[in-house]
Amino acid sequence: MGYKLSKYLYEDEKEGYVFLYNTYKVDMLKIKKPLFEAIKENLSDIKENPENPVIAKLIEKRYLVEDSVNEDREGDLMYLKTCHSNKQLLLTILPTEGCNFRCEYCYEEHKQNKMSEETQEALIKFVRKNLKYYGGLSVSWFGGEPLLYPEIIEHLSEEFKKICKNFKKPYTAIMTTNGYLLDYDMFCRMKKCNVTNYQITIDGPAEVHDKQRFLAGGQPTYDKIISNLTDIKEKEKSKFYTFSLRTNLTVQSAKAYPKLAQFLKDNFFVDGRFTPRVRIAWNGTNDADYEKNIISDISSIFGEGSSLEQTQENLQKSMYGITDENALRKNFNEIMFAHYPCYAAKANSFIFGPDGRLFKCTVHFDDSKDGVAGYLKPDGHLEVNDTIDAKWITQMTAKDKGKCYDCKAYPLCQGVGCPYKMSVRGRRDDECEAKVAEIISTFRVFSSNEKICADVEEMLA
Amino acid sequence: MRDRLFTIMEDNGVEYEDNVLVTEIDSIQYMSLMVEIEEEFEIEFPDMFLGENIFENFDRLCEIVFGLVGEVA
Ligand code: SF4
Ligand code: SF4
């Protein structure tokens, strides 16, 4: 029969070992170089159920695949399972586009609107009509700032919970909030709405955060957010309420990041419910040059290295070197998860604006050409524009997709990643290169940890 | 108490046959069940139960939950 190395492996050499980074299984291991070379030389002689335990392990973890396997088709299947699944009905709901903050880099228009009762009822009817086709309901509260209207969240959650109960399906929710209104009382109200995960942004120590993220009247917000989170951390004992603390890197916040990181580590990341998330602040364009420039500015703060790959590695080292061992695996999975197709690429994902408009992407709301994919009618019927929907929930053109078959990132990105960049606007080679560089550097950074990247022979010991 | 627990499982689409779990629980169901049980019985699951599949057997689940309720009471 014979075996071959999976095409979805990156090979890296360090200290007498070959490190194998597996994008299909999102896994990695290391293997002594002479042993790896010997295995490689005899791949065609490997039989089914081999006795050699190292080889058996490599097959089990899909580092080796049978010669006859067509991995392109398996990658395609992965795309279908991820983006055309009916496991969950995924709703992102914007009770308002208004916000009490005016962040320096924000792309939203801050329309002071609020979801009407009529739209709320239409949404409830939509869920009632459609939940039977799915395995459960997951809601993501988004905005604007969703906590400006907690009563809308409470009303909709109560109705969703009733519908889920009738259909015998699970209901879960998450929320993206600026955290200013999330005091302990509000957190308890949201607990009753099944909100179990929050994404909250902290851009730096007070002096940096307050310059980037201030109230509509210009007042600071850092102290209030930290005091809210501290209160919740101390009063809430359940392990199931989690917080992703996000930092948007600008040159200013990157300079102050080590100080923030130390503070967050000492006060929050020691508690496994809090995890870091670091992203380049978006500048309102989808400009790869902007990202490259900011990365190179930031790299001068974090360390030497001029290539994009080296810079990203330095950056990630300083970001993720801050958490304890237990949080590492979670962080690794979270970073890798960010490369999977965005919800905008999923046929089971619907984003509803306060007026019942259907969006696919939470960034390009108001892109008049492709942003609005449909409308929710008062009777709960969703009128979808298939021409627009198709741009988001199908893969790119055959010509570009051909390149994905040669790309080792395909099992992660699945040729969609950010469908706005890859499909709606059009794929760019330089952005794909940057993505691949980021994936490799993430593997590399975490590979120094034995818990995540073990020696294959020691795994068997 | 047993009935309340059984209703939570049922409402989340989880089924048992002779006390043995016959549903494959996914991560969303797991999350939904854990928070609902904590909320309903005013308990918190300690770390020792997080790695274990506590839903595998309904009697064992009752034992764990009622044990935790007893500790709280
Ligand atoms: S990174 Fe680019 S080339 Fe690679 S799979 Fe994604 S879209 Fe395709
Ligand atoms: S499609 Fe792209 S820009 Fe839109 S939400 Fe997804 S990742 Fe962001």
Side-chain angles (χ1 to χ4, degrees):
Chain A
M1 144 191 312
Y3 279 76
K4 60 186 174 190
L5 281 172
S6 164
K7 68 187 276 188
Y8 300 127
L9 295 183
Y10 292 106
E11 286 177 36
D12 209 4
E13 269 189 51
K14 280 184 279 182
E15 298 139 12
Y17 279 97
V18 175
F19 286 70
L20 296 176
Y21 307 145
N22 182 335
T23 54
Y24 192 94
K25 288 284 186 192
V26 193
D27 189 65
M28 61 181 131
L29 51 76
K30 59 183 182 182
I31 177 165
K32 288 196 189 85
K33 193 167 176 226
L35 176 59
F36 183 62
E37 292 302 333
I39 292 173
K40 252 169 67 172
E41 263 170 40
N42 297 299
L43 284 171
S44 55
D45 300 330
I46 299 174
K47 304 268 179 304
E48 211 178 340
N49 303 322
E51 276 172 25
N52 182 324
V54 171
I55 293 176
K57 193 74 178 168
L58 292 174
I59 293 172
E60 179 201 321
K61 294 186 142 252
R62 216 180 186 285
Y63 288 82
L64 299 180
V65 292
E66 277 176 36
D67 244 343
S68 58
V69 168
N70 181 334
E71 292 185 272
D72 295 343
R73 293 184 74 171
E74 292 191 18
D76 284 348
L77 178 64
M78 214 162 188
Y79 162 75
L80 290 172
K81 282 187 175 171
T82 311
C83 295
H84 295 270
S85 143
N86 60 355
K87 269 197 177 159
Q88 293 291 316
L89 172 57
L90 304 172
L91 301 186
T92 301
I93 302 174
L94 284 66
T96 177
E97 285 171 86
C99 187
N100 49 345
F101 277 31
R102 287 294 177 276
C103 305
E104 204 179 32
Y105 44 71
C106 183
Y107 52 81
E108 290 197 36
E109 281 181 40
H110 307 298
K111 289 180 193 155
Q112 295 308 319
N113 49 12
K114 172 182 174 185
M115 186 173 273
S116 67
E117 280 177 21
E118 193 192 28
T119 307
Q120 291 178 52
E121 293 322 303
L123 207 43
I124 294 164
K125 286 178 187 155
F126 171 78
V127 172
R128 202 173 283 131
K129 281 184 184 184
N130 289 285
L131 189 60
K132 57 178 169 289
Y133 304 119
Y134 300 89
L137 175 62
S138 288
V139 169
S140 169
W141 299 103
F142 198 79
E145 171 50 45
L147 289 178
L148 286 179
Y149 297 108
E151 64 282 3
I152 295 181
I153 299 173
E154 287 173 322
H155 171 61
L156 289 174
S157 302
E158 203 183 318
E159 294 302 320
F160 292 160
K161 281 166 86 170
K162 277 189 214 153
I163 300 169
C164 284
K165 206 168 171 176
N166 283 341
F167 281 103
K168 304 209 176 306
K169 313 242 166 156
Y171 174 61
T172 54
I174 58 174
M175 181 181 285
T176 301
T177 165
N178 56 39
Y180 193 82
L181 298 168
L182 190 69
D183 57 18
Y184 186 65
D185 285 345
M186 182 65 86
F187 171 78
C188 291
R189 285 171 70 182
M190 292 302 113
K191 249 178 105 171
K192 300 238 176 294
C193 300
N194 291 19
V195 180
T196 54
N197 171 270
Y198 295 85
Q199 182 174 304
I200 295 171
T201 299
I202 301 172
D203 272 353
E207 62 278 14
V208 175
H209 175 96
D210 289 338
K211 278 206 186 92
Q212 290 186 187
R213 299 179 65 81
F214 38 84
L215 289 177
Q219 301 91 329
T221 60
Y222 179 86
D223 287 346
K224 180 88 171 83
I225 299 169
I226 295 295
S227 119
N228 285 346
L229 290 175
T230 308
D231 220 20
I232 295 169
K233 186 186 71 159
E234 277 160 17
K235 291 180 177 154
E236 178 57 50
K237 297 287 172 249
S238 171
K239 309 278 183 303
F240 298 102
Y241 298 92
T242 52
F243 299 81
S244 306
L245 303 186
R246 173 174 170 139
T247 301
N248 295 309
L249 286 184
T250 57
V251 174
Q252 294 88 314
S253 62
K255 277 186 190 140
Y257 191 74
K259 185 175 166 196
L260 175 71
Q262 193 59 45
F263 172 79
L264 293 179
K265 182 186 173 191
D266 295 345
N267 292 279
F268 295 106
F269 302 145
V270 282
D271 179 327
R273 296 174 296 180
F274 294 81
T275 44
R277 248 189 197 196
V278 189
R279 289 277 172 278
I280 304 292
W282 195 62
N283 73 340
T285 66
N286 265 299
D287 180 354
D289 294 335
Y290 165 78
E291 281 190 19
K292 270 187 205 160
N293 288 340
I294 198 166
I295 285 174
S296 99
D297 282 349
I298 292 167
S299 73
S300 58
I301 301 160
F302 287 124
E304 296 304 311
S306 51
S307 71
L308 181 63
E309 206 174 294
Q310 184 61 47
T311 302
Q312 282 177 331
E313 193 175 327
N314 289 341
L315 183 59
Q316 291 200 354
K317 258 190 198 142
S318 56
M319 286 173 199
Y320 298 105
I322 58 174
T323 49
D324 65 29
E325 292 255 309
N326 292 331
L328 266 181
R329 169 52 79 176
K330 209 163 142 198
N331 274 328
F332 175 68
N333 290 344
E334 270 201 20
I335 305 168
M336 285 309 198
F337 188 75
H339 294 292
Y340 279 110
C342 162
Y343 43 73
K346 296 182 180 175
N348 57 335
S349 167
F350 303 88
I351 301 172
F352 289 108
D355 55 0
R357 279 184 299 167
L358 170 71
F359 307 119
K360 293 304 292 182
C361 155
T362 46
V363 176
H364 299 277
F365 284 159
D366 281 333
D367 182 328
S368 52
K369 209 159 91 318
D370 296 311
V372 181
Y375 295 88
L376 187 60
K377 300 282 169 197
D379 65 356
H381 172 73
L382 186 61
E383 207 167 85
V384 180
N385 179 329
D386 283 342
T387 310
I388 294 175
D389 205 26
K391 292 188 189 177
W392 296 95
I393 65 168
T394 59
Q395 283 173 306
M396 60 195 67
T397 59
K399 176 176 124 305
D400 271 337
K401 200 182 149 191
K403 295 211 171 179
C404 301
Y405 286 140
D406 294 327
C407 174
K408 292 180 195 295
Y410 188 48
L412 290 169
C413 162
Q414 298 165 25
V416 225
C418 161
Y420 178 79
K421 288 184 184 174
M422 300 305 172
S423 178
V424 177
R425 187 212 56 197
R427 200 189 64 84
R428 277 172 45 172
D429 283 340
D430 58 347
E431 285 176 352
C432 290
E433 281 159 22
K435 182 194 266 284
V436 167
E438 199 183 328
I439 290 169
I440 296 175
S441 71
T442 307
F443 272 118
R444 215 169 258 157
V445 167
F446 285 88
S447 70
S448 54
N449 188 287
E450 292 277 335
K451 279 199 175 160
I452 299 183
C453 186
D455 179 338
V456 67
E457 288 175 282
E458 279 165 24
M459 278 184 204
L460 299 164
Chain B
M1 256 199 324
R2 212 181 144 89
D3 289 349
R4 269 158 66 202
L5 192 51
F6 198 79
T7 307
I8 293 178
M9 305 307 288
E10 242 185 357
D11 287 349
N12 280 280
V14 176
E15 291 175 7
Y16 287 93
E17 255 174 42
D18 298 330
N19 271 322
V20 178
L21 180 73
V22 289
T23 313
E24 202 170 311
I25 295 181
D26 64 24
S27 57
I28 302 283
Q29 266 170 323
Y30 176 81
M31 197 66 185
S32 171
L33 287 166
M34 293 302 253
V35 292
E36 229 178 300
I37 295 171
E38 284 195 341
E39 186 81 7
E40 175 72 20
F41 295 97
E42 296 180 3
I43 53 170
E44 274 112 32
F45 286 104
D47 284 346
M48 61 189 283
F49 295 122
L50 304 188
E52 185 187 341
N53 185 354
I54 62 167
F55 302 117
E56 207 57 60
N57 182 294
F58 189 66
D59 282 341
R60 165 90 181 124
L61 176 65
C62 291
E63 212 176 275
I64 294 172
V65 173
F66 304 156
L68 293 169
V69 173
E71 278 172 29
V72 175

